[in-house]
Amino acid sequence: MGLRIGDTAPNFEIDTTEGKINFHDWAKGSWVFFFSHPADYTPVCTTEMGRTAQLAEQFAARGVKPLGLSTDTVEEHKGWMNDVNETQNTTVGFPIVADKDKKVAELYEMIHPGESTTAAVRSVFIIDPNQKIRLTMTYPMSVGRNFAEILRVIDALQTGDKHGVATPADWELGGDVIIPPSVSMEEAEKKFPQGFKTVKPYLRYTTVK
């Protein structure tokens, strides 16, 4: 069985560009944006690594630690980071897993044989401070990730956790949220004193801060 939303993210110990880490110890108390890329010194991956670095303040503001991975060595990663910093006008400040034996890629099912038998596809795992997998996304090797969407879903998860709400299609931070159907009208009136709009008994909108 593959990894599912709600599963505990598997632990691992491995070398990275910032030294050896025990994943659970390194991640403890933080959200994690764990993402794989096919290989160092490749064009799409270079832009993605650069974009992650450019968004460092955005991730930090949300309590999120980025963690990259490919099936290359620490030495290759470090050499490539010079290119990323140069071409993307940034400074990479997060660790990149050196998974040359593909142990972590296989543990997280990042290798899809229909794409490649040796390189990881563009997997995304959003992991919460309790080390639970909260969201997964998988992109093919030829398509770069949408980082606005990655930040959006982190905002949605954190807003839902904080306020006990759900988020509608195309929701963005500050937009109206949905009161779950499991919350009765009486409970909703107590929980959301700011009021809410009832479109249908199962569709109620409110605002949160």
Side-chain angles (χ1 to χ4, degrees):
M1 298 295 290
L3 294 175
R4 296 177 175 180
I5 290 173
D7 287 351
T8 298
N11 195 25
F12 54 84
E13 291 189 7
I14 199 161
D15 290 327
T16 77
T17 50
E18 295 185 2
K20 179 168 283 189
I21 66 167
N22 175 293
F23 176 63
H24 281 183
D25 290 344
W26 176 84
K28 189 174 183 179
S30 297
W31 289 77
V32 176
F33 163 46
F34 185 27
F35 65 109
S36 60
H37 61 276
D40 295 351
Y41 298 103
T42 54
V44 177
C45 301
T46 297
T47 65
E48 290 191 324
M49 282 291 165
R51 190 61 182 139
T52 304
Q54 291 165 0
L55 292 170
E57 291 185 2
Q58 295 279 350
F59 284 117
R62 293 164 170 81
V64 177
K65 290 183 172 182
L67 179 65
L69 174 147
S70 80
T71 55
D72 299 285
T73 66
V74 168
E75 291 72 23
E76 289 168 327
H77 284 339
K78 288 182 175 179
W80 178 44
M81 286 305 97
N82 294 327
D83 285 2
V84 172
N85 292 340
E86 175 190 350
T87 63
Q88 306 304 303
N89 299 308
T90 191
T91 301
V92 174
F94 57 89
I96 304 171
V97 169
D99 192 27
K100 62 183 185 299
D101 295 325
K102 302 190 289 294
K103 291 180 180 178
V104 179
E106 291 173 355
L107 183 65
Y108 278 77
E109 299 185 334
M110 294 170 169
I111 294 176
H112 295 197
E115 283 274 288
S116 171
T117 58
T118 59
V121 293
R122 300 184 193 283
S123 297
V124 172
F125 292 87
I126 304 299
I127 300 164
D128 71 16
N130 295 316
Q131 300 175 342
K132 298 293 185 182
I133 296 171
R134 299 295 299 276
L135 180 140
T136 64
M137 290 188 281
T138 304
Y139 292 72
M141 293 181 176
S142 60
V143 178
R145 280 165 272 229
N146 184 325
F147 281 80
E149 172 65 2
I150 289 166
L151 292 174
R152 189 193 77 87
V153 295
I154 292 169
D155 286 339
L157 290 167
Q158 293 181 344
T159 297
D161 286 357
K162 182 177 180 180
H163 299 285
V165 296
T167 52
D170 296 330
W171 177 87
E172 293 185 1
L173 192 63
D176 288 354
V177 296
I178 292 173
I179 300 172
S182 58
V183 178
S184 70
M185 284 294 190
E186 183 180 2
E187 291 172 328
E189 289 171 358
K190 294 177 181 178
K191 189 172 183 179
F192 303 102
Q194 68 272 34
F196 53 88
K197 178 182 178 182
T198 301
V199 180
K200 293 286 185 181
Y202 59 85
L203 181 57
R204 298 166 294 175
Y205 292 98
T206 189
T207 59
V208 294
K209 295 181 179 180

